[in-house]
Amino acid sequence: MTHQASAPRLDPTVLRDLHLDGDGPRLLDVRTPGEFRTAHIPGSYNVPLDTLREHRAELLHHLDDEVILICRSGARAAQAEQALAEAGLPNLRVLDGGILAWESAGGFLTRGPERWDLERQVRLVAGTIVLITGVAGLFLPGLHLIGTAVGAGLTVAALTNTCALGMLLSKLPYNRGPRTDIDTVIAALKGTS
């Protein structure tokens, strides 16, 4: 079954008002544990996108309320929405603009140790590869093609709204933070952790 329609977007100011009332929906933050530790909406649950995709059938039994999906800007949350919708979960919404829009709308964040977000890491790695291979290509003909391949990869990432480099970087210990396993996620959703 392919899910065609995307989830309705929830304006950050609307969520902020719901959150202040204490009757807000369940918030699932699909960023990496490292990103979540850096800053997250109080009361949100960290269910990294990879974990959510792999264990969506198990999660369905613990997500009977309205669910708001959150990431940095909305792209990964949209991927999570598609995965959960394909598994049969109704009442999904994506926080429009993600954590960035939430903070801009005056929403409070619980902060931890500061670290670079995944998008910034992708820009650093891709830019460094292009710079080094471009300069080295002046001395070693053909080396500049590596930079061309990185550019092609970034183009595909933009067109498909996915990023292979970002997925690879998310697996580094720096981004993983504390291990997030499905049993811990389910215990937190049940309120038993």
Side-chain angles (χ1 to χ4, degrees):
M1 171 171 117
T2 304
H3 180 69
Q4 301 295 334
S6 70
R9 298 286 176 147
L10 180 64
D11 185 85
T13 55
V14 172
L15 179 59
R16 188 193 66 218
D17 293 342
L18 288 171
H19 199 63
L20 289 174
D21 291 343
D23 292 331
R26 189 177 302 255
L27 308 177
L28 295 187
D29 190 321
V30 300
R31 297 175 300 149
T32 66
E35 290 174 291
F36 184 80
R37 285 187 67 203
T38 298
H40 62 273
I41 298 173
S44 61
Y45 299 91
N46 185 220
V47 185
L49 184 57
D50 288 344
T51 302
L52 181 139
R53 283 181 177 145
E54 185 178 342
H55 298 283
R56 62 186 167 194
E58 295 167 69
L59 290 169
L60 287 180
H61 303 295
H62 306 285
L63 298 174
D64 54 353
D65 300 324
E66 181 182 11
V67 174
I68 308 301
L69 298 162
I70 303 164
C71 66
R72 180 180 182 273
S73 63
R76 284 178 278 174
Q79 293 173 38
E81 181 274 327
Q82 182 176 1
L84 289 173
E86 287 173 354
L89 186 66
N91 302 325
L92 295 167
R93 296 176 84 182
V94 172
L95 179 61
D96 194 21
I99 288 286
L100 297 175
W102 168 264
E103 190 171 28
S104 293
F108 180 75
L109 292 173
T110 299
R111 295 202 177 271
E114 197 63 36
R115 67 177 70 220
W116 283 16
D117 60 57
L118 208 49
E119 184 178 311
R120 186 175 180 190
Q121 292 175 52
V122 167
R123 290 192 311 254
L124 173 69
V125 170
T128 301
I129 291 170
V130 170
L131 177 64
I132 290 171
T133 60
V135 171
L138 296 172
F139 306 102
L140 298 168
L143 197 59
H144 70 283
L145 293 176
I146 294 172
T148 303
V150 170
L154 292 173
T155 301
V156 169
L159 293 174
T160 62
N161 204 21
T162 62
C163 183
L165 182 55
M167 287 186 259
L168 288 172
L169 290 172
S170 73
K171 303 210 181 301
L172 293 175
Y174 175 80
N175 290 315
R176 295 210 54 91
R179 181 160 157 64
T180 303
D181 62 64
I182 191 62
D183 295 330
T184 304
V185 169
I186 289 174
L189 291 171
K190 286 181 173 179
T192 59
S193 65

